[in-house]
Amino acid sequence: MLRYPLLHPGLIGALAGAGHGSRVLLADANYPHSTGVRAEAQRVHLNLRPGLVTVDQVLEVLLDAVPVESAAVMVPSGGEGDVLARGAKVPAHAGYRAALAAAAPSAAWRGLDRFAFYDAARGDDVALLVATGDERAYANVMLTVGVRQG
């Protein structure tokens, strides 16, 4: 038994195999989990039911487990950063920004429109997709693993 908040064997194994520059996609319930990442990427399904588990819950645990150097979020086409084309922010992104600021203050942040995000998620550097039951629109975040200090 581990004395650590992260207990899921699949997540532990996938994160242990990911190194500097590897990407981890935390995907909402609407994301195409089977086709939205490269075939070789590991998949961990935590989408127990709608709304459970959320991306925020997984992010909280992962930020304690791995160093993060950057994060990319999905925004609708016509948006910029994490702002929707109509000027409003994507609601899901505020919590991600706060969690990253606390755990990885130097982590870079960028918004990618939906299709650019899909292209990035299918890249060779994506090691893991975590499927969640998060029902919020554009609640996807892709983390780039950083370097462990010390």
Side-chain angles (χ1 to χ4, degrees):
M1 175 58 73
L2 297 175
R3 288 185 46 194
Y4 188 72
L6 179 56
L7 299 176
H8 192 283
L11 274 176
I12 292 170
L15 292 171
H20 180 226
S22 295
R23 291 186 174 182
V24 176
L25 171 57
L26 308 182
D28 65 27
N30 296 304
Y31 195 85
H33 302 136
S34 63
T35 61
V37 294
R38 66 188 183 97
E40 298 83 6
Q42 293 188 41
R43 290 163 178 80
V44 173
H45 294 275
L46 299 180
N47 48 342
L48 184 60
R49 66 166 168 80
L52 187 67
V53 174
T54 67
V55 171
D56 299 88
Q57 291 168 323
V58 176
L59 181 61
E60 177 186 349
V61 175
L62 291 190
L63 288 175
D64 189 45
V66 297
V68 173
E69 70 180 33
S70 67
V73 292
M74 180 190 284
V75 296
S77 296
E80 185 175 311
D82 61 347
V83 178
L84 300 168
R86 61 187 177 278
K89 290 202 176 262
V90 176
H93 297 173
Y96 306 163
R97 277 188 180 268
L100 280 163
S106 63
W109 175 273
R110 67 184 176 146
L112 298 172
D113 79 35
R114 185 174 137 211
F115 295 106
F117 191 94
Y118 286 150
D119 288 343
R122 290 185 181 105
D124 290 339
D125 55 355
V126 176
L128 170 65
L129 174 139
V130 180
T132 73
D134 204 320
E135 297 180 282
R136 298 172 296 172
Y138 299 97
N140 305 294
V141 61
M142 190 164 17
L143 307 174
T144 301
V145 176
V147 177
R148 192 171 100 177
Q149 302 296 322

